[in-house]
């Protein structure tokens, strides 16, 4: 992942921010920029709801990204928490209440994670404006699509071959399983079972190939990359959990 803008976080000058007022807690709000989650606001700040905090922060970030610039992300310490800035300009504040302390995540860890995500957003914004990089991503996606179509063709052909082989096996098996000329296993039922097995296996492989192709293609472009990463992570977590469950059993 690009880390050029997040290579080093310096401490920004302490900002003069008024003390937060007590406001009843409401729903949390995720700050997302370029489809990438940056931070979750969990409590109001200075009378501003989490949803409004996320909206204002997104507007400031998009405005700064439109102007261009180095895109250096800094973390500053203020009495109310941690101040996140881009090129020395205030973006948003992370308060201690925003940290998921119940999950063992500290304020500093939350600020570092938000700064790293914001730096990646900045890098991906630059990538989206780079024609050469976007053409390269498009070419890679096109090649991946051709490979995907070839895999589908191979799977279909392989499925037909396996279906014929399973049919022959079912025929041979039913011929052997006879007692006094009577079939112990009916031929049509055996063929149906064989066909169902090969069809289920084929569809599983096709769906798996489609899932992998979609995740890979989405990951090639900055705007859809978070979706691709989510698909790949979900597949990895599901597979890992399945194997762990088998091992535990």
């Amino acid at each position: 992942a690009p880390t050029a803008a997040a290579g080093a976080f310096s401490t920004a000058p302490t900002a003069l921010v008024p003390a937060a007022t007590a406001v009843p807690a409401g729903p949390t709000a995720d700050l997302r920029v370029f489809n990438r989650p940056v931070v979750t606001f969990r409590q109001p700040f200075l009378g501003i709801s989490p949803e409004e905090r996320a909206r204002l922060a997104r507007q400031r970030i998009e405005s700064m990204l439109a102007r261009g610039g180095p895109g250096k992300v800094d973390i500053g310490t203020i009495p109310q928490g941690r101040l996140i800035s881009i090129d020395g300009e205030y973006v948003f504040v992370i308060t201690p209440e925003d940290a998921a302390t119940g999950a063992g995540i500290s304020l500093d860890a939350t600020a570092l994670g938000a700064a790293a995500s914001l730096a990646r957003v900045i890098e991906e914004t630059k990538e989206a404006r780079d024609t050469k990089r976007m053409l390269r991503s498009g070419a890679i996606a096109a090649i991946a699509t051709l490979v995907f179509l070839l895999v589908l063709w191979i799977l279909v052909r392989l499925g037909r071959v396996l279906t014929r082989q399973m049919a022959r096996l079912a025929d041979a098996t039913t011929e052997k399983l006879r007692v006094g000329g009577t079939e112990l296993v009916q031929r049509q039922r055996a063929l149906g079972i064989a066909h169902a097995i090969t069809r289920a296996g084929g569809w599983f492989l096709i769906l798996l190939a489609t899932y992998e192709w979609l995740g890979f293609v989405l990951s090639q472009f900055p705007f859809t990359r978070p979706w691709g990463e989510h698909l790949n992570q979900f597949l990895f977590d599901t597979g890992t959990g399945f194997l762990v469950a088998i091992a535990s059993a």
Side-chain angles (χ1 to χ4, degrees):
T3 57
F9 298 124
S10 61
T11 302
T14 301
L16 297 178
V17 180
T21 57
V23 178
T28 62
D30 293 330
L31 170 59
R32 289 180 175 269
V33 184
F34 229 58
N35 282 330
R36 187 170 295 283
V38 176
V39 68
T40 299
F41 296 121
R42 305 179 186 278
Q43 295 287 339
F45 179 64
L46 303 178
I48 304 175
S49 67
E51 182 179 357
E52 187 68 6
R53 290 173 65 191
R55 186 184 68 82
L56 293 173
R58 182 168 54 253
Q59 288 181 349
R60 284 191 288 268
I61 293 170
E62 291 175 349
S63 176
M64 293 178 186
L65 294 179
R67 294 202 310 262
K72 185 175 185 296
V73 180
D74 292 316
I75 301 176
T77 299
I78 60 175
Q80 292 81 8
R82 300 292 180 268
L83 185 145
I84 307 299
S85 62
I86 299 176
D87 295 334
E89 293 189 33
Y90 160 76
V91 179
F92 58 85
V93 171
I94 301 176
T95 66
E97 291 77 15
D98 293 326
T101 54
I105 303 176
S106 66
L107 173 60
D108 288 332
T110 301
L112 285 171
S117 297
L118 186 55
R120 187 167 186 183
V121 166
I122 295 171
E123 183 63 26
E124 287 176 337
T125 302
K126 296 177 180 178
E127 178 184 348
R129 295 172 179 171
D130 190 329
T131 304
K132 290 183 179 180
R133 295 175 70 176
M134 293 302 295
L135 289 175
R136 178 177 176 273
S137 297
I140 293 175
I143 294 173
T145 301
L146 292 176
V147 172
F148 167 67
L149 293 176
L150 177 62
V151 169
L152 289 185
W153 182 80
I154 292 174
L155 288 176
V156 171
R157 297 283 295 181
L158 182 61
R160 292 174 180 173
V161 172
L162 288 177
T163 299
R164 290 194 294 267
Q165 293 296 329
M166 292 289 284
R168 293 193 186 99
L169 179 62
D171 277 336
T173 302
T174 53
E175 285 296 328
K176 293 179 180 179
L177 295 178
R178 287 176 177 270
V179 175
T182 302
E183 292 182 347
L184 296 180
V185 180
Q186 294 181 1
R187 180 178 181 277
Q188 291 300 323
R189 179 172 296 180
L191 290 175
I193 293 174
H195 187 63
I197 291 174
T198 53
R199 176 181 292 179
W203 275 111
F204 173 77
L205 292 177
I206 288 174
L207 291 175
L208 181 62
T210 303
Y211 192 98
E212 284 292 327
W213 165 78
L214 183 61
F216 180 81
V217 170
L218 291 177
S219 298
Q220 298 306 307
F221 303 96
F223 189 75
T224 58
R225 187 168 296 147
W227 301 339
E229 292 172 350
H230 180 74
L231 288 175
N232 293 331
Q233 187 63 42
F234 175 78
L235 182 62
F236 175 79
D237 291 342
T238 302
T240 302
F242 182 71
L243 294 176
V244 169
I246 292 176
S248 299

